[in-house]
Amino acid sequence: MKDHGFSTRCIHAGTHHDEQNGGACSPVFTSTAYAFPNPAGLNIYPRYFNTPNQRVINRKVAALEGGEAAVTFGSGMAAISTLLMAHLKPGDHAVFQQGLYGGTAQFITHELSRLRVEYSWGDSVAGLAEAIRPATKLIYIESPSNPLLRCLDLAAVAALGKRHGVLTVIDNTFATPINQNPLAQGMDVVVHSATKYLNGHSDVNAGIVVASAAIITRVAACAVNFGGMLDAHACAQLERGLKTLALRMERHNRNAAALADFLLNHPAVARVNYPGLPGHPDHAVAAAQMRGFGGMLSFELRDPERVDHLLQRLRVVLPALSLGGVESLICVPSRTSHRTMPREERLRAGITDGLVRLSVGIEDLADLQADLTQALT
Ligand SMILES: *Cc1c(COP(=O)(O)O)cnc(C)c1O
């Protein structure tokens, strides 16, 4: 499947063929009890992360990311926490990008610290490099980042890891494998919150780790102990969502690029953060390593007092948390993902009170533009 296009892989890669009836879709295997000894020589059990429906997702997403193997979890945080727990022990050190997804940052400060894993933060390739110590085992980044859509040069981060013999990990949730394949840039591990674009319909919580077979074996062995697996019904729903990922991303990319341009020229808007805009600080990096710039953008209102007015007036765009679904969602990072950050620090990081994050859905562009126009007035 790896030589096929993305749409073909989305639809066909990993399917569990229904040999009995010739059905077009993978059957849903709901058993938690499987024959032992098993005819296939596998000891199958949902919490062993090896049921037929879990394996469908593993194969499909591995094919999309160009990885050898993958393991599917019950949430993005189950994937991220298990990956980190599989690779870090007391006395180890890890380097994280500043401004990671809030849940990941909280796992680091609440759980890793409790386990006496040491860590440092860096906000550029140079900053990550400076933070590396002899005990460093892992570098972990997000690109594009939330909510300013900053992009790091993935090949440079991968080279940094190789030079120091350190594992390099990227949360590829914002870009999706349609827009960016970090393994091809030399990164070692890709993680996703499949809750977002991969499922794409705001109705399944899931996560996935993609890497070499050796890394996945290690992560899956650890996952069995933490138990954060995805059940068969949710796997089937996620499989259905994944089939339209390439098609949806085309529209997400197109709508977001058009709205970024529209907002850039709107008198009520002071600033737009979208990696596809030539004025974005990381536009060149993004253009070199991404096939599309994604469906996420943020913008700053000239008058921060107008934020509530904007949110209340919108009729199509829904004020809500989360992202990556077919429906457009809007939120205010200073009140949501970054609300616990001290104000001074938050402003220094560029997350002002008037900053609004938009997860651009796949509605008709004209309707989204009209909705924003009337609400910004
Ligand atoms: C949502 C999200 C997560 C966490 O995923 P859950 O499925 O909510 O556990 C991790 N990383 C990023 C970038 C996210 O947006």
Side-chain angles (χ1 to χ4, degrees), residues 75-77 80 101 171 173-174 193 195-196 205-206 323:
S75 69
M77 281 316 302
I80 291 164
Y101 172 74
D171 181 333
T173 299
F174 272 37
S193 168
T195 310
K196 315 295 169 50
N205 233 189
L323 61 107

Side-chain angles (χ1 to χ4, degrees), residues 112-165:
L112 287 187
S113 63
R114 225 160 45 83
L115 298 169
R116 291 186 293 109
V117 170
E118 303 204 357
Y119 51 86
S120 313
W121 307 94
D123 63 358
S124 61
V125 177
L128 296 169
E130 261 171 50
I132 292 179
R133 306 177 188 170
T136 306
K137 292 287 158 39
L138 180 149
I139 301 171
Y140 185 110
I141 63 165
E142 282 173 16
S143 179
S145 69
N146 178 43
L148 299 176
L149 293 308
R150 295 303 305 261
C151 300
L152 284 177
D153 181 335
L154 302 188
V157 175
L160 179 66
K162 297 248 177 342
R163 199 152 63 240
H164 293 272

Side-chain angles (χ1 to χ4, degrees), residues 311-331:
L311 264 53
Q312 284 158 15
R313 288 279 297 265
L314 288 165
R315 290 294 169 264
V316 179
V317 179
L318 184 71
L321 299 182
S322 201
L323 61 107
V326 292
E327 56 287 290
S328 293
L329 304 176
I330 197 163
C331 70

Side-chain angles (χ1 to χ4, degrees), residues 70-129:
V71 56
T72 300
F73 291 85
S75 69
M77 281 316 302
I80 291 164
S81 57
T82 305
L83 170 76
L84 292 175
M85 295 301 281
H87 286 94
L88 297 170
K89 59 178 190 315
D92 284 347
H93 174 259
V95 179
F96 295 101
Q97 186 184 344
Q98 206 120 44
L100 290 179
Y101 172 74
T104 308
Q106 186 159 319
F107 180 82
I108 294 162
T109 54
H110 286 58
E111 307 298 336
L112 287 187
S113 63
R114 225 160 45 83
L115 298 169
R116 291 186 293 109
V117 170
E118 303 204 357
Y119 51 86
S120 313
W121 307 94
D123 63 358
S124 61
V125 177
L128 296 169

Side-chain angles (χ1 to χ4, degrees), residues 27 32 35 58 112 118 128 155 167 169 172 189 197 220 223 242 245 251 280 307 327 333 337 349:
T32 55
N58 297 346
L112 287 187
E118 303 204 357
L128 296 169
L167 193 78
V169 180
N172 203 30
V189 183
Y197 289 104
L242 277 163
L245 177 65
R251 178 67 76 87
H280 187 278
V307 165
E327 56 287 290
S337 53

